[in-house]
Amino acid sequence: MNRKECYLNFYQALFILMASWLYTLLTYYMPFDVNTYSLCEIYTFQGVPFGLILGVVLNYYDKRKKER
């Protein structure tokens, strides 16, 4: 594995950040659920892991597509 392949580029990091913010806001403002957690708690424990997992999955599929 090349050392350069281990780093996220700017657009990947921006996408992960935006996905985590969107997930956090959608979770916080769900109309059918009475939410007792603060925005900070949702972002820390749900939004960031969701964004990171999504980024890893998309990066994996992008690399597989380039190998073909």
Side-chain angles (χ1 to χ4, degrees):
M1 176 181 279
N2 224 350
R3 185 177 174 136
K4 187 177 179 182
E5 293 177 5
C6 295
Y7 297 112
L8 292 174
N9 65 22
F10 175 74
Y11 294 111
Q12 290 170 331
L14 185 64
F15 175 77
I16 290 170
L17 186 65
M18 295 299 287
S20 63
W21 285 347
L22 183 63
Y23 180 87
T24 301
L25 291 175
L26 288 176
T27 303
Y28 186 73
Y29 291 112
M30 286 286 186
F32 56 85
D33 189 15
V34 178
N35 200 347
T36 59
Y37 298 110
S38 69
L39 274 174
C40 182
E41 290 172 331
I42 294 171
Y43 182 70
T44 303
F45 297 113
Q46 294 177 10
V48 172
F50 172 77
L52 289 174
I53 291 170
L54 188 63
V56 166
V57 168
L58 291 175
N59 191 18
Y60 172 76
Y61 282 116
D62 186 44
K63 283 184 182 178
R64 292 224 8 178
K65 192 168 94 174
K66 288 180 181 178
E67 289 175 0
R68 291 184 183 181

